[in-house]
Amino acid sequence: MIIDGLTIAYLGSALAIGLAGIGSAIGVGIAGEAGAGVLTEDPGKFGTVLILQALPGTQGIYGLLSGFYVMIKLGLLGGSPVTVSVLQGVQILFACLPVAIVCWFSAIAQGKTAAASIGMIARRPEETGKAIILPAMVETYAILSLLATILLLNTIKLG
Amino acid sequence: MTTIQEKPVATQNTAYAYLVGRIRMLERGVLNGRILESALKVEDVEQVVRIISELPYLSEALQNIPKAPAPLDDALMSHFWETLKEVGRQKLGKNLSLFFQYSFDFNDIKLIIKRHLAKKASGREYPGTFDWKKVSHFVSGETGEHLSDVYRRAIEETLAVYESTHHVQIVELVLDRVYLQEVMNMAEISESPVIKNWLIAFFMFTFFRSAFRAKYQESKFELYRTIYFKNPYLSLEDLSDIITGPDEKIGEVLVHSGMKNILLGEGEYRNDPYYLAEIEKNMDNYLMRFIRPYRTLTFGPEPVFGFLYAKSIDIKNLRILLHGKYFGIGENELRNKLRECYYE
């Protein structure tokens, strides 16, 4: 079987969407479990818990965004794919790795931090602001990886 | 005895996220040093209840309860029991609450057997996981009643030993032995090294406590040895040294078993009830200090177990406070009896 450049580029797009999505699903799941525990005792905290639970979901969006950007670049959404050499395909694959890997791990880490913050608002509801800032710090690295992926993709010139 | 002296690493298992989230809410109802200090300063039981009612969950438990030690005691006990049941309903919480539920169940069985031996009609029932009538029937010889293996074994062994000795104290000792065997089993299968070591420390303290009491009451060692079973942490010789040896020997046994810090002052043992009460307090405080650092964890069974232990200590502290205020015991004397809180 011959692997062409387009297939390798698909792999990059798939990894960005897939790994970041998996990370987000795990992160949101962890935060959700902690949130469910708090809501069992006090359903009034739903609003804050929801914000904290949603935070690890953003990595999945960044992965999807990068994946779509690759698809647009390849002309897939317009219905007329461009020609991609094997080297260009590999370049696209590597460009997708920052967002795929960083978002995968950071979403899980953010989910754990969000769960800890949910525990914090359970005991100290007055500290909601600080509780949101802590998991939001993890977001920085997901944003940086998205930026790196977009910049890397922009350097690749397709015919 | 290196195992329980090391600071074990917690498990950080994210499967406990739900339970820990729930515990974080419930922890708002745990006593803290400030509340206890305020409660110590007031004059009577009613004012103590007013102060502790500041705490969520406890306030609900104490609503419309007559302000006297006995009904308040019952209300606190059933509040703790309901908390245990609630945690035990979760799949992962079942084993964690089991340790605390066992203490209720084994106390219930002791009472049922003693009533049976005294040929008393069945009286008041206390919280427990089993049906009191079934256990009473079983104790009376209706062995067809369905009982869990642990309780079946406990009752059968107790009655068999009683048959051969006709000594009522044996009931307590045999049931304590079966209880401690279960604690040992729990420690062995515990997924958390922290809880495992905590259980081993508890296990050793229970042996020490009963040995100190036996020494004070000048019980026969032959009777006391009924509680003992072979284990890797304490030998029968160590316990024999405590009960039959000179007071100076006790410090040596505790140093050798890694539990020197439960002794007071210069580490010299005194065979008097005040000293024993102080040592028991030190044991409770040791267990609290052991589990307390893990309360900040977000994942794993440790914060859940720590919370349940904190609740059990709260009940002990509240009992001391309520009874103390009722009988007019002074503030300082009461303060000396109180255990350390989970949150200071």
Side-chain angles (χ1 to χ4, degrees):
Chain A
M1 192 180 78
I2 298 166
I3 297 177
D4 61 5
L6 200 58
T7 310
I8 298 170
Y10 282 168
L11 180 63
S13 172
L15 285 177
I17 298 170
L19 293 183
I22 289 170
S24 278
I26 296 172
V28 170
I30 292 170
E33 278 189 46
V38 171
L39 295 179
T40 306
E41 296 298 328
D42 183 6
K45 290 197 164 55
F46 179 70
T48 324
V49 166
L50 187 69
I51 293 170
L52 286 163
Q53 193 200 353
L55 282 175
T58 51
Q59 279 85 340
I61 298 170
Y62 300 154
L64 189 69
L65 196 70
S66 307
F68 273 139
Y69 188 55
V70 171
M71 288 183 220
I72 291 165
K73 207 166 172 66
L74 296 174
L76 296 176
L77 299 180
S80 49
V82 295
T83 311
V84 181
S85 69
V86 171
L87 180 67
Q88 286 169 327
V90 172
Q91 284 174 339
I92 290 173
L93 169 66
F94 275 90
C96 288
L97 288 184
V99 84
I101 296 169
V102 175
C103 284
W104 178 21
F105 285 108
S106 70
I108 297 171
Q110 197 172 34
K112 289 180 178 176
T113 321
S117 289
I118 288 170
M120 184 175 159
I121 57 150
R123 268 191 62 78
R124 297 181 186 279
E126 70 279 7
E127 304 291 2
T128 303
K130 289 173 192 160
I132 293 173
I133 289 170
L134 296 176
M137 294 298 288
V138 184
E139 192 77 14
T140 317
Y141 302 95
I143 294 169
L144 292 179
S145 71
L146 174 68
L147 189 67
T149 293
I150 289 172
L151 290 176
L152 286 169
L153 285 173
N154 276 340
T155 60
I156 303 164
K157 299 280 178 262
L158 299 177
Chain B
M1 268 321 305
T2 50
T3 50
I4 68 161
Q5 294 305 309
E6 290 166 2
K7 275 284 166 209
V9 179
T11 49
Q12 292 282 311
N13 186 346
T14 52
Y16 286 88
Y18 171 80
L19 262 177
V20 176
R22 205 158 168 197
I23 291 305
R24 289 288 172 257
M25 285 300 297
L26 295 171
E27 272 176 357
R28 292 164 62 230
V30 169
L31 284 179
N32 56 51
R34 184 185 59 82
I35 297 265
L36 271 187
E37 204 46 47
S38 316
L40 274 169
K41 293 201 186 317
V42 299
E43 294 295 317
D44 57 27
V45 172
E46 199 157 340
Q47 286 174 301
V48 172
V49 172
R50 200 173 304 141
I51 286 172
I52 58 176
S53 294
E54 275 180 32
L55 295 166
Y57 301 103
L58 263 181
S59 58
E60 292 154 34
L62 299 177
Q63 240 173 20
N64 305 325
I65 304 290
K67 306 294 178 274
L72 287 168
D73 211 33
D74 287 348
L76 289 168
M77 198 49 83
S78 61
H79 164 65
F80 181 44
W81 180 250
E82 288 307 316
T83 310
L84 285 179
K85 273 198 335 197
E86 204 53 52
V87 172
R89 267 190 208 115
Q90 307 303 318
K91 195 178 159 198
L92 290 167
K94 204 173 170 183
N95 281 342
L96 298 175
S97 62
L98 193 62
F99 166 77
F100 299 94
Q101 286 180 335
Y102 267 154
S103 65
F104 278 87
D105 284 353
F106 275 90
N107 281 334
D108 290 351
I109 294 175
K110 278 179 193 171
L111 190 59
I112 292 170
I113 293 182
K114 282 179 185 170
R115 279 179 187 168
H116 167 74
L117 296 177
K119 297 189 173 30
K120 271 190 190 165
S122 53
R124 208 183 134 194
E125 294 181 6
Y126 294 91
T129 56
F130 45 66
D131 181 348
W132 271 60
K133 284 191 182 64
K134 276 187 179 179
V135 178
S136 301
H137 290 163
F138 188 88
V139 169
S140 316
E142 292 176 38
T143 48
E145 289 286 4
H146 175 74
L147 270 188
S148 84
D149 286 345
V150 175
Y151 303 136
R152 182 178 281 267
R153 184 165 62 89
I155 295 169
E156 284 172 351
E157 279 185 31
T158 309
L159 293 177
V161 178
Y162 180 78
E163 271 306 302
S164 57
T165 58
H166 289 280
H167 204 299
V168 180
Q169 207 188 340
I170 217 86
V171 173
E172 298 256 350
L173 293 169
V174 178
L175 283 171
D176 282 346
R177 186 186 68 209
V178 180
Y179 170 61
L180 288 175
Q181 280 170 332
E182 287 309 307
V183 173
M184 192 75 212
N185 292 341
M186 276 188 236
E188 273 165 17
I189 60 166
S190 173
E191 67 166 299
S192 157
V194 176
I195 297 175
K196 179 185 173 165
N197 286 4
W198 189 96
L199 288 171
I200 293 168
F202 173 87
F203 165 90
M204 291 172 72
F205 287 160
T206 310
F207 270 127
F208 285 141
R209 192 175 290 160
S210 57
F212 293 149
R213 281 185 197 158
K215 184 179 183 67
Y216 178 70
Q217 292 163 358
E218 295 177 352
S219 304
K220 284 183 185 158
F221 183 68
E222 283 314 303
L223 185 69
Y224 173 79
R225 70 185 301 160
T226 328
I227 196 176
Y228 185 79
F229 62 94
K230 204 166 165 43
N231 68 81
Y233 306 102
L234 274 177
S235 67
L236 192 59
E237 289 70 40
D238 286 339
L239 296 172
S240 161
D241 283 345
I242 291 177
I243 298 170
T244 57
D247 288 359
E248 305 83 65
K249 192 79 185 165
I250 293 175
E252 275 176 42
V253 174
L254 290 173
V255 170
H256 160 70
S257 56
M259 293 299 173
K260 181 189 159 193
N261 44 2
I262 60 164
L263 286 168
L264 314 176
E266 297 298 305
E268 282 174 13
Y269 181 82
R270 280 200 327 272
N271 198 19
D272 72 62
Y274 297 105
Y275 191 86
L276 289 185
E278 279 287 303
I279 275 200
E280 289 191 3
K281 187 179 105 173
N282 276 4
M283 289 175 179
D284 288 340
N285 287 345
Y286 179 97
L287 292 171
M288 182 58 89
R289 285 179 204 148
F290 195 97
I291 198 76
R292 192 191 282 135
Y294 301 93
R295 74 181 176 201
T296 51
L297 297 179
T298 311
F299 307 108
E302 295 86 2
V304 184
F305 190 83
F307 163 75
L308 293 178
Y309 182 61
K311 284 302 273 185
S312 72
I313 290 295
D314 277 4
I315 303 290
K316 208 175 256 186
N317 276 339
L318 287 173
R319 271 183 179 163
I320 294 169
L321 253 178
L322 293 167
H323 285 261
K325 290 290 170 191
Y326 189 77
F327 292 109
I329 298 174
E331 186 186 323
N332 284 335
E333 197 179 335
L334 276 180
R335 190 179 284 110
N336 284 339
K337 291 180 179 184
L338 291 176
R339 270 63 173 162
E340 286 180 17
C341 289
Y342 197 44
Y343 282 95
E344 290 145 348

